[in-house]
Amino acid sequence: MTRRLRRFVAVGGLVTILHVGLLVVLVRAAGFPVVLAAVTAVTVAAVASYLGHRVVTFAGDPYALVDHRPRAFALAVGP
């Protein structure tokens, strides 16, 4: 595996853990309705993914979608 692919998988895994963990906490501990908790968890995970990939995975890549087209990234993770 290349270094960038390892970084991509690591950031993706951490963001997935964040997403599922936040969803469970919001529904079970905070008593949020499932739909509201899901939207909140996806939003937080998308922001974490954007920042993680920008800083870790694609740092220094002049052609990275994350740096030069953040709107395209948002549309890719949005509904």
Side-chain angles (χ1 to χ4, degrees):
M1 234 194 272
T2 66
R3 183 186 320 190
R4 181 173 289 169
L5 183 57
R6 280 188 219 128
R7 290 177 181 179
F8 184 84
V9 170
V11 169
L14 290 172
V15 168
T16 301
I17 291 168
L18 171 68
H19 177 206
V20 174
L22 183 59
L23 180 63
V24 169
V25 167
L26 289 175
V27 170
R28 290 194 177 178
F32 276 51
V34 174
V35 173
L36 181 60
V39 169
T40 303
V42 166
T43 302
V44 169
V47 170
S49 176
Y50 177 82
L51 295 174
H53 286 302
R54 183 174 184 175
V55 171
V56 176
T57 308
F58 300 111
D61 184 353
Y63 301 106
L65 174 70
V66 176
D67 283 338
H68 299 289
R69 297 183 63 198
R71 185 169 188 259
F73 184 88
L75 289 172
V77 299

